Amino acid sequence: MNTTKYIFVTGGVSSSLGKGIIAASLAKLLQARGYKVTIQKLDPYINIDPGTLNPYEHGECYVTDDGAETDLDLGHYERFLNVPTSQANNVTTGRIYQSVIDKERRGEFLGKTVQVVPHITNEIKERVQLLGRTGKFDIVITEIGGTVGDIESLPYIEAVRQLKWELGDNNALVIHLTLIPYLKAAGELKTKPTQHSVKTLMESGIQADILVCRTEYHLSDDLRRKLALFCNVQKEAVIESIDASTIYDVPNLMLKEGLDVITLEKLGLSDDNQPNLDRWNSFLKRHKNPKSEVKIGLIGKYVELQDSYKSILESFIHAGAENEVKVKVVSIHSEHIDQTNIAKELEGLHGILVAPGFGGRGIEGKIEAVRYARENKIPYLGICLGMQMAVIEYSRNVLGLKEANSTEMDSETPYPVIDLMDEQKSITDKGGTMRLGAWKCELDENSIAGNIYKSKTIEERHRHRYEYNDKFRTQLEEAGLIATGINPETGLVEIVEIKDHPWFVGVQYHPEYKSTVANPHPLFVAFVKAANEHLKNN
Ligand code: GLN
């Protein structure tokens, strides 16, 4: 018998209310009470995955161990729960349709007309229950992307309606996240948009069980009673979600509001175990009481949009707390720096991070930033493209190979120090074809990386097509840029370090995807520590 319970999180009134954070916070509380929980995101767009989307469209593309390119909310799920997600945790309309159409071509519908209801909705229901059927989870939380009333959300809402009915009371519930706007002129919080949004949900046959209300001001008792009465929910099921100074406060805020208790009650599960948030709260305490502040420059070309580098920013929060240091991330647009202004733009930084990225725009600025960090002995962390830029910089300015480049930027370069892997050369499709997901890496024990990771073999997540070109390795190593991490299966270089520099590390992989509150990433922790030492010494 399948005893997994299902929670659906829908959104109303406005987008960007933070369904992902609410889902992750509730999951955290349930996990802290001893339940095994996972979170899934259903995205109503037609792309197969966000891998081909520009960061300006969709923010960061988050990558799982099994190589799924996913929505950035999965990053929040992992950072809160410290449990890896997988392909099954992010499903898009594109994927649903692709799978139904493939079945149709194989003749699996036996001559029937293939329709949104039941075929698309059945596929959605399958995908939701897939995680439950693994037997690994007591509770699956499914976040429905978009806002109720959107045309593209309709099949998802219908699938939720059917599942709720099929699974029965106590086995499934719907949490609706809405906004209670404050009208300054009237000096009042307004419930009407929420009433309408709950009504829209009811038109699709779904009664919300719990309302989570985003608000800038506390909800009075009267207002909660009014919301309960007009939206058909218990008063205890009206949960206030007040603006917080950090997303990491939200689990405690939800605890205070009793979101976990009302959820467990409605699912017929025990709330006897009190939530153990000791580790979480000790992180929060460190995060909120830093002993010093370091400034780290984040050099990238999507810096205008905070979400583009979400996991990097969160990794700095985890690593900062671990070091009891506030990390002030200074975003610097790589297209705005060059030889003439670099010293002025990067002055006063205690660490420099060159971000991942694609294409040639802004790379000369990134190379200048690497040079500045190398020559001025400022702690440097290069991630993916940031590692490749470090190799190019070293080749150009130390080895004297002036035209060294990546073949991504210059296919004719005489010194292709970064080049396409052989198996990538015949690939023409863009979607899902990079080197993705977790790969092993063996560390040189006498290196920075070897010292900070606790084991000799590590596994880190990748998302790139181009690689360090081994043909230049001897030359680069003799000149002082050492390969300190190697993929044991392919021999590919995954980490480079400069021997004669206090802290200079470039990694071909993305450490930021694996940093969590419970396990701050060792590389970020060490980088922030090095930045803090740089601060003290200067
Ligand atoms: N554009 C580079 C590559 O494909 C780096 C990718 C990245 O930074 N994620 O290899």
Side-chain angles (χ1 to χ4, degrees):
M1 201 186 77
N2 187 6
T3 52
T4 306
K5 312 273 184 174
Y6 293 87
I7 299 172
F8 300 96
V9 181
T10 58
V13 180
S14 164
S15 57
S16 304
L17 292 180
K19 285 195 292 283
I21 301 297
I22 293 297
S25 299
L26 173 59
K28 182 77 227 168
L29 294 179
L30 298 172
Q31 184 194 52
R33 286 178 181 270
Y35 290 103
K36 290 194 259 26
V37 192
T38 189
I39 318 177
Q40 174 188 47
K41 171 106 192 251
L42 304 182
D43 273 313
Y45 52 72
I46 299 181
N47 303 64
I48 298 292
D49 59 44
T52 52
L53 288 174
N54 185 313
Y56 288 133
E57 287 279 314
H58 194 262
E60 165 190 276
C61 173
Y62 185 79
V63 179
T64 60
D65 277 334
D66 65 352
E69 297 180 275
T70 73
D71 187 78
L72 58 78
D73 272 338
L74 272 80
H76 291 309
Y77 307 161
E78 289 203 14
R79 289 187 281 272
F80 275 52
L81 297 182
N82 197 35
V83 175
T85 54
S86 69
Q87 296 274 0
N89 292 74
N90 192 193
V91 178
T92 68
T93 295
R95 218 179 262 288
I96 298 279
Y97 271 81
Q98 188 180 51
S99 143
V100 170
I101 291 168
D102 286 348
K103 284 182 188 162
E104 187 273 339
R105 291 288 84 181
R106 291 196 298 269
E108 286 181 26
F109 297 114
L110 306 174
K112 291 269 186 225
T113 307
V114 181
Q115 293 176 296
V116 173
V117 182
H119 301 100
I120 296 296
T121 46
N122 280 352
E123 186 70 29
I124 296 172
K125 290 196 293 182
E126 259 317 293
R127 299 293 181 125
V128 169
Q129 289 175 288
L130 210 60
L131 282 164
R133 292 209 191 97
T134 61
K136 288 197 276 187
F137 306 106
D138 305 314
I139 302 165
V140 175
I141 302 181
T142 300
E143 176 191 344
I144 316 284
T147 309
V148 298
D150 293 350
I151 292 175
E152 51 198 24
S153 302
L154 283 173
Y156 293 97
I157 299 293
E158 169 60 12
V160 171
R161 184 196 68 75
Q162 291 183 16
L163 269 176
K164 214 180 165 217
W165 183 80
E166 285 167 1
L167 294 163
D169 288 345
N170 280 339
N171 290 322
L173 69 82
V174 171
I175 297 177
H176 191 54
L177 176 64
T178 76
L179 175 70
I180 309 289
Y182 177 75
L183 284 196
K184 208 166 150 203
E188 263 182 83
L189 287 169
K190 290 297 186 187
T191 65
K192 195 76 87 187
T194 296
Q195 295 179 40
H196 283 297
S197 162
V198 169
K199 221 182 244 171
T200 305
L201 206 48
M202 283 176 84
E203 280 165 15
S204 301
I206 297 177
Q207 168 64 55
D209 299 285
I210 297 173
L211 287 184
V212 176
C213 306
R214 276 299 298 274
T215 174
E216 289 173 46
Y217 297 93
H218 288 294
L219 305 183
S220 68
D221 220 44
D222 269 358
L223 198 122
R224 288 175 194 251
R225 203 170 299 121
K226 186 172 165 188
L227 277 165
L229 178 65
F230 291 123
C231 299
N232 300 324
V233 297
Q234 271 169 266
K235 187 164 157 271
E236 298 69 41
V238 176
I239 305 291
E240 167 192 289
S241 171
I242 195 134
D243 288 357
S245 60
T246 156
I247 55 170
Y248 297 106
D249 273 338
V250 180
N252 281 312
L253 292 172
M254 292 301 107
L255 179 68
K256 234 189 253 157
E257 285 286 306
L259 176 61
D260 54 335
V261 173
I262 186 86
T263 298
L264 290 170
E265 183 187 300
K266 288 191 181 293
L267 291 176
L269 294 171
S270 153
D271 64 4
D272 290 348
N273 282 347
Q274 286 312 302
N276 179 349
L277 289 168
D278 292 351
R279 207 152 156 198
W280 186 270
N281 288 332
S282 94
F283 152 78
L284 270 179
K285 198 169 153 209
R286 286 162 159 266
H287 172 53
K288 291 184 176 180
N289 298 287
K291 298 197 170 118
S292 59
E293 177 177 310
V294 297
K295 273 194 268 177
I296 294 187
L298 170 65
I299 324 290
K301 64 173 172 180
Y302 304 112
V303 288
E304 303 90 331
L305 186 71
Q306 284 278 310
D307 276 358
S308 311
Y309 303 112
K310 196 77 203 161
S311 294
I312 292 177
L313 298 177
E314 299 304 321
S315 300
F316 276 130
I317 292 178
H318 309 153
E322 191 70 12
N323 282 290
E324 296 182 276
V325 168
K326 179 175 165 48
V327 180
K328 187 171 184 316
V329 177
V330 184
S331 297
I332 297 166
H333 201 300
S334 52
E335 282 183 296
H336 300 166
I337 44 178
D338 55 34
Q339 255 174 18
T340 62
N341 66 2
I342 190 89
K344 197 169 149 268
E345 292 292 323
L346 304 194
E347 196 191 327
L349 295 176
H350 310 112
I352 292 173
L353 185 148
V354 172
F358 295 85
R361 193 163 60 84
I363 72 145
E364 295 303 326
K366 290 187 172 176
I367 292 170
E368 278 310 316
V370 177
R371 178 184 195 147
Y372 184 84
R374 178 175 62 77
E375 291 180 345
N376 294 287
K377 306 243 187 276
I378 299 169
Y380 175 82
L381 177 59
I383 298 182
C384 207
L385 188 69
M387 175 265 204
Q388 300 177 352
M389 293 300 113
V391 174
I392 295 171
E393 194 279 326
Y394 214 81
S395 306
R396 287 187 188 178
N397 301 326
V398 180
L399 286 183
L401 309 175
K402 287 292 167 224
E403 293 157 285
N405 215 330
S406 162
T407 50
E408 179 180 8
M409 323 304 168
D410 176 6
S411 56
E412 303 293 311
T413 169
Y415 309 113
V417 292
I418 304 294
D419 197 9
L420 215 50
M421 280 181 291
D422 279 339
E423 58 262 45
Q424 283 284 341
K425 289 186 176 150
S426 56
I427 295 175
T428 50
D429 273 7
K430 291 277 181 262
T433 55
M434 283 187 257
R435 175 145 88 109
L436 290 167
W439 290 82
K440 280 206 177 76
C441 173
E442 257 164 31
L443 303 177
D444 171 352
E445 280 163 47
N446 300 313
S447 65
I448 297 179
N451 275 315
I452 59 185
Y453 281 96
K454 296 275 177 280
S455 61
K456 184 168 163 43
T457 309
I458 55 165
E459 261 187 83
E460 292 281 5
R461 300 181 193 172
H462 292 246
R463 181 171 187 253
H464 58 105
R465 254 179 246 290
Y466 293 81
E467 298 285 351
Y468 177 106
N469 187 346
D470 218 52
K471 291 191 191 112
F472 292 87
R473 182 158 159 200
T474 315
Q475 239 177 315
L476 283 164
E477 291 208 320
E478 278 168 7
L481 186 71
I482 315 293
T484 60
I486 308 288
N487 179 320
E489 287 137 50
T490 59
L492 289 168
V493 170
E494 310 283 31
I495 309 176
V496 293
E497 295 178 21
I498 294 179
K499 236 200 289 183
D500 179 28
H501 189 287
W503 208 97
F504 188 106
V505 180
V507 291
Q508 185 57 78
Y509 52 82
H510 291 262
E512 72 274 23
Y513 293 144
K514 281 180 74 166
S515 187
T516 70
V517 166
N519 262 324
H521 197 286
L523 208 51
F524 276 89
V525 173
F527 179 45
V528 171
K529 186 163 176 254
N532 201 32
E533 270 153 29
H534 185 84
L535 164 81
K536 282 190 220 145
N537 299 336
N538 288 274

